[in-house]
Amino acid sequence: MPQIAQLAATYSSQIFWLLIFFGFTFFAVGRGMVPKVMDTVAQRDKQIADDLLAAERARKQADEEEASWRARENANRAEAQALIADARGKAAAATADRLAAAQTVIDGKLADAESRIAEACRSAAAEIEDVAADAARDIVGRVAGLSLDDAAVRSAVKENLVHG
């Protein structure tokens, strides 16, 4: 077989060029490009780690700011509640004062009305006594033909009106 015989003659030459090619590839890629790629990977890893660290710091700062904001908001809310309670108290006191003033006016009007009613009752009772006394005197004068004293007639009418 001539191919195998020829293969043996070029075998050492092929190994030589194979070693040359792989050596060149090793030094070009392994010594030239791989360190650059590894440096790039290391820089990216460092950048990612720095970014993560910065993000963690930012998160902690945001948490602290949120906590302080919540504390301020709670204090503001408590202050607002206190103002509302104070305003309600003042409004209730003002309303109570107005109601007391109105009640005083109403009580005054009621007392005035009661005194007018009592005076009207006394006046009506006196008028009824007068009319009854006049009627009784006229009736006694017509029926019995007697002339009675005005004071006696009034006294008798008053006694009958009081005792019925």
Side-chain angles (χ1 to χ4, degrees), residues 143-158:
V143 171
L146 300 173
S147 175
L148 296 175
D149 180 31
D150 192 38
V153 171
R154 287 191 184 280
S155 149
V157 167
K158 193 174 214 176

Side-chain angles (χ1 to χ4, degrees), residues 50-126:
D50 290 345
D51 289 347
L52 288 174
L53 183 61
E56 182 65 26
R57 286 182 189 151
R59 187 185 61 79
K60 284 181 183 178
Q61 182 181 2
D63 288 345
E64 290 170 0
E65 288 178 9
E66 180 184 7
S68 69
W69 175 81
R70 285 188 190 278
R72 281 193 316 269
E73 284 301 309
N74 288 340
N76 289 342
R77 190 174 296 115
E79 183 180 340
Q81 291 296 335
L83 287 174
I84 289 170
D86 185 43
R88 281 183 183 161
K90 287 179 182 177
T95 301
D97 290 345
R98 285 193 308 245
L99 287 176
Q103 188 63 41
T104 303
V105 170
I106 290 171
D107 288 344
K109 287 182 180 181
L110 183 62
D112 185 42
E114 286 176 347
S115 68
R116 284 193 318 248
I117 290 171
E119 181 60 34
C121 284
R122 283 191 295 274
S123 174

